[in-house]
Amino acid sequence: MTRLVIVGNGMAGARLVSEVRARDKHVKVTVIGAETWQPYNRVLLSNVVAGTMLPDQVRLLDPAWYADHSVTALLGVEVTAIDRETQAVLTADGRREPYDVLVLATGSEAVVPPVPGAAGAMAFRTLDDCRAILAAAGAARRAVVVGGGLLGIEAARGLAGRGLPVTLLHLAGHLMERQLDAEAGLMLGETLAELGVEVRTGVVVEEILGDGVRLAGGETVGADLVVLACGVRPVTGLAGDAGLEVARGIVVDDEMRTDDPSIFAIGECAQHDGTVYGLVAPAWEQAAVVADLVTGADKTSRYRGSRLVTRLKARSVELAAMGETHLTEDDAEVVRFSHRARGSYRKLVIRDGRLVGAILLGETSAVGTLTQLFDRGSPVPADPAGLLFPGISGSAVAESPVRMPDAVKVCQCNNVTKGQIRACWESGARDVEAVAAATRATTGCGGCRDVVEGIVGWLCEQEGISV
């Protein structure tokens, strides 16, 4: 019997456990997680901060799941070393767990900027962080969030949604500079301002004080709650200490295997073909590949990289970005629509007749079809402007379930198509919860829930079924 040990019980590790069990009931599975929590959906933590979800609602696996599926789960246990010679992992509490196959799913950790006082601020990364932030927010009068990437924006919007005045400080010239161009970043800032978040870009934080932060130049921004969202870095120390190849992340091949053939790495700690992915969909794709290989379900399974679609999960802010969004008219064909008064910005980047990048801010109904074009590298229509406005008569884009092809990928996180949802419905799933249980659609970032509801509702309507 193969002994599989998984180090890390976050979104990648927990997914691997369930993928393995879906393929093989007999592999001996032990998962070791440093956090005491059952695995939870980190993508939805901003909803916990905003108060729209409770901690129990972001849980990925029910506590009884492990026993029901013969999985040994060691929670709140830190792995301190890998003994590659004897194939065992060592834990801080003195345990020695032997393995035939070891998978590292150690994830990433919050970056704490090297400024005085940073140790006294709160990071926004884990469920424990959320609970600490919420406890502090209850007594706070004003908050500062440092970092204008995805996490920082979600944290700032969540706190503002609780009625707390929030200032968002960002080093770069505009928000989400990796995913957005300058105009989109500016308009996103204006949207956030309307929701109660004061945005300041191009500022340098020099010190975190007990009553706020001090900026370069001496200005102080007052706050009694400071949240750091300055990015993350892969957790690679365990692999590096064991002599595995580490660059920015743990280096793996197309099988997600390290330079030790009995050790794999997946998720945010892994570096595949020079890239470390920081989103959930690639981690889950990688987990499926490793599950195929470990169980023998598909020995030809390989990971070929992911084409990323970034979705902002902040209440009342619709944003999606994908691909090469920074290309200009000098490098590609760019189709753009901007309406600042309405906070609407849409941009397509087309090269050689294919969609290579897109930004949708303010209204994202076209994201499903654009993602399909982006994923498949399919030719765009002769008049690509129609892609920006799904409701235009004759447009190639139709988000209505009636016109949506079965091959359209509805849930990006879990690679679920409209056809799979239809098949699930035909098998008896009559609501979103039943579809989610069968296909996992909506269980990642949750951004596809409205579309799934629309498909299920349309199917029920066709059959005269009331829901």
Side-chain angles (χ1 to χ4, degrees), residues 353-372:
R354 266 62 174 176
L355 184 71
V356 297
I359 300 172
L360 297 173
L361 172 64
E363 201 284 320
T364 58
S365 63
V367 70
T369 302
L370 292 179
T371 300
Q372 183 185 16

Side-chain angles (χ1 to χ4, degrees), residues 80-231:
T80 57
I82 303 169
D83 185 339
R84 291 170 56 189
E85 186 174 344
T86 63
Q87 292 196 324
V89 297
L90 312 179
T91 67
D93 60 1
R95 183 185 298 263
R96 184 180 186 88
E97 191 68 37
Y99 66 83
D100 298 307
V101 176
L102 174 63
V103 180
L104 302 177
T106 48
S108 56
E109 61 187 359
V111 172
V112 177
V115 299
M122 295 185 177
F124 177 49
R125 180 63 183 159
T126 68
L127 192 50
D128 282 334
D129 292 337
C130 281
R131 292 169 70 91
I133 290 169
L134 292 178
R141 291 165 297 176
R142 184 169 188 84
V144 161
V145 176
V146 181
L150 274 174
L151 284 179
I153 292 170
E154 291 171 4
R157 175 65 187 107
L159 290 169
R162 289 180 170 270
L164 195 63
V166 181
T167 300
L168 178 61
L169 304 175
H170 191 48
L171 176 63
H174 66 270
L175 298 176
M176 291 180 63
E177 72 279 2
R178 292 183 181 179
Q179 297 89 4
L180 305 182
D181 59 19
E183 186 173 1
L186 173 65
M187 292 178 64
L188 174 58
E190 293 172 345
T191 299
L192 291 170
E194 293 175 0
L195 297 171
V197 178
E198 178 191 2
V199 176
R200 299 187 58 180
T201 56
V203 295
V204 177
V205 174
E206 288 198 336
E207 185 177 5
I208 297 174
L209 310 168
D211 57 353
V213 301
R214 181 173 57 81
L215 305 180
E219 179 187 357
T220 298
V221 180
D224 36 20
L225 169 59
V226 178
V227 176
L228 300 178
C230 303

